[in-house]
Amino acid sequence: MKLTASFAYAKRCHFRRLSALSHTARQFSTATIHLNKDDDSANVWKLTQEDVFRYWKGYLATRPKYTDAFYNLIYNYHVSKAQSNPPSFSIAHDVGAGPGQVSAKLAQRFSHVVVSDNNENHVNYAKRFLSTTDVAESRFSFAVAKGEDLGSKYPPASADLVVSALMFPLMDTMSALRSFHAVLKPGGTLAVWFYGRAHFAELEYAALCQPLLDRIINHHFSSVITGGNPEHTAGWKHVADGIASWLDYIPFVEEDWESVVRHKWNAKWTTLGFFGNEACDFPVEPRSSVTDKEVVIERDDRSLWRKNWNVGQLREFVEYIYPFQEMEGEYVKPLWAQLEGQMGGVHARRAFSWPVVLILATRK
């Protein structure tokens, strides 16, 4: 019995070591993070070619999938505001396209999709990803470009739709709006959306589990956000303030835009950010530019984009929120152990939903 027990213990330790080695192998090199304390770059989100394919694969596997119903909100709005009959579905821009999954969906409705990102490695990944779809490659074009510069790179009034998924808080607000306004046709649609970290959707688990998950995520983000130079701090404060505002800070002036609709899901019981105020070494200050002519629609839907995850799958989600370092640091180990227990054990699956905001506006 002692030999058997010793063998079982050694086997468990062996698998733990393998698991730890496997997890370490998936971590990203320090060079992948460009808005860190020693970097004066204004780019919050940047990966090297070495890491980009592994990162985006994990990202796509752990993020929510946008539903047809979500895209139809955009398409139906576009049809209702169109100045042509039939409405034009000719050219769409996917700004900050990342891995290209939004571009793939847009190509199901639009004749041509411009796939742009300010990181060449991201664009290369999107090319590879989109080549695996059943959409002809000729229906995509690619550009390494900032969203703020699209208005100077493409013909004015040439696009029917511009979408910015998850990227707008990282941009210069007014420069981006001017750029999008320039490239859109009169009557064209701007769609900006953002979602935050996963939230425990079941009430009996949310109260105990969500604070533990938030502490883990905030710890990882704090190592990236805090202690930087003034430019670093200003960049992250812009991001944090905008997200905490549920994108209400984005101003749509009447001279340029009309028919603004702001859709919000789960705003009453979630917060929008991937990180909370506790991750920041500056005050987070939400602000609003919403006017009384805009429409705000709020929905409470705990099944929105639902995921049923065990603690291992939840770890994967946290790993691919951002290319963090030291995912298994001493601070988070007891938090993960406590969270595993509160979730009901290593194999127990809990339901997760998401905070989401979608803004639709028509170019005058």
Side-chain angles (χ1 to χ4, degrees):
M1 288 296 295
K2 288 183 179 179
L3 286 174
T4 303
S6 298
F7 175 76
Y9 176 78
K11 188 174 182 180
R12 287 198 302 272
C13 290
H14 174 68
F15 280 116
R16 285 177 189 144
R17 286 195 295 271
L18 286 178
S19 177
L21 287 171
S22 174
H23 191 88
T24 301
R26 291 200 303 271
Q27 291 185 1
F28 301 94
S29 64
T30 304
T32 62
I33 297 177
H34 283 249
L35 191 62
N36 59 36
K37 300 172 184 61
D38 302 314
D39 185 9
D40 62 1
S41 170
N43 190 350
V44 174
W45 195 278
K46 201 168 185 179
L47 300 175
T48 66
Q49 185 68 55
E50 177 185 356
D51 290 327
V52 70
F53 289 101
R54 178 159 41 90
Y55 177 79
W56 285 124
K57 182 178 179 181
Y59 175 101
L60 290 172
T62 57
R63 293 301 183 98
K65 303 296 189 292
Y66 305 135
T67 61
D68 288 342
F70 182 79
Y71 283 105
N72 285 337
L73 278 176
I74 300 170
Y75 302 150
N76 292 340
Y77 173 93
H78 179 66
V79 169
S80 71
K81 308 303 177 184
Q83 295 185 5
S84 62
N85 189 15
S88 177
F89 282 81
S90 179
I91 296 176
H93 281 258
D94 182 8
V95 181
Q101 84 279 25
V102 172
S103 299
K105 291 295 291 188
L106 295 178
Q108 295 177 5
R109 290 295 300 269
F110 287 82
S111 301
H112 190 84
V113 178
V114 180
V115 186
S116 64
D117 198 288
N118 69 343
N119 186 305
E120 185 176 7
N121 292 334
H122 300 184
V123 174
N124 289 337
Y125 185 92
K127 287 180 181 178
R128 178 174 173 177
F129 173 78
L130 292 169
S131 71
T132 66
T133 69
D134 57 2
V135 180
E137 292 185 24
S138 61
R139 293 181 54 202
F140 298 106
S141 58
F142 301 87
V144 179
K146 295 170 60 178
E148 297 93 326
D149 297 336
L150 291 183
S152 62
K153 291 181 176 294
Y154 289 90
S158 59
D160 299 297
L161 174 70
V162 171
V163 304
S164 174
L166 298 183
M167 288 296 103
F168 199 93
L170 307 183
M171 300 179 188
D172 179 86
T173 303
M174 300 313 298
S175 295
L177 287 174
R178 285 192 294 269
S179 175
F180 300 161
H181 184 273
V183 79
L184 279 168
K185 299 174 183 177
T189 298
L190 172 62
V192 174
W193 70 84
F194 199 92
Y195 64 83
R197 64 194 179 281
H199 281 68
F200 285 85
E202 299 160 294
L203 290 175
E204 60 268 39
Y205 293 98
L208 294 175
C209 295
Q210 192 66 44
L212 292 169
L213 177 61
D214 290 349
R215 285 176 63 188
I216 292 168
I217 294 174
N218 284 335
H219 171 75
H220 290 311
F221 265 110
S222 178
S223 67
V224 177
I225 295 172
T226 62
N229 60 35
E231 183 180 4
H232 170 98
T233 300
W236 277 107
K237 179 170 172 54
H238 172 79
V239 172
D241 289 352
I243 295 172
S245 305
W246 285 75
L247 307 195
D248 284 349
Y249 74 98
I250 302 175
F252 292 94
V253 298
E254 290 187 38
E255 292 80 3
D256 296 332
W257 305 95
E258 62 184 351
S259 303
V260 178
V261 181
R262 299 176 186 260
H263 297 269
K264 299 177 183 179
W265 288 265
N266 299 328
K268 294 179 180 178
W269 59 278
T270 67
T271 55
L272 186 62
F274 279 97
F275 55 88
N277 297 2
E278 298 79 6
C280 305
D281 56 355
F282 48 78
V284 177
E285 300 169 309
R287 59 193 186 278
S288 177
S289 298
V290 180
T291 71
D292 57 6
K293 292 186 177 181
E294 299 178 10
V295 176
V296 178
I297 301 172
E298 295 194 5
R299 302 175 179 85
D300 188 9
D301 183 359
R302 289 177 178 265
S303 65
L304 180 70
W305 303 345
R306 178 168 175 160
K307 295 281 190 180
N308 294 304
W309 282 336
N310 59 36
V311 69
Q313 292 167 312
L314 185 58
R315 279 176 175 265
E316 291 287 318
F317 165 72
V318 173
E319 179 176 355
Y320 289 104
I321 288 179
Y322 190 95
F324 295 121
Q325 309 303 307
E326 299 182 7
M327 288 295 298
E328 294 297 317
E330 291 301 317
Y331 177 84
V332 300
K333 286 180 180 179
L335 293 177
W336 278 117
Q338 189 177 353
L339 183 55
E340 178 182 308
Q342 295 290 359
M343 288 178 65
V346 66
H347 299 298
R349 291 177 179 268
R350 304 274 70 93
F352 294 86
S353 188
W354 310 83
V356 183
V357 58
L358 165 66
I359 305 175
L360 300 169
T362 299
R363 192 261 206 211
K364 282 189 174 179

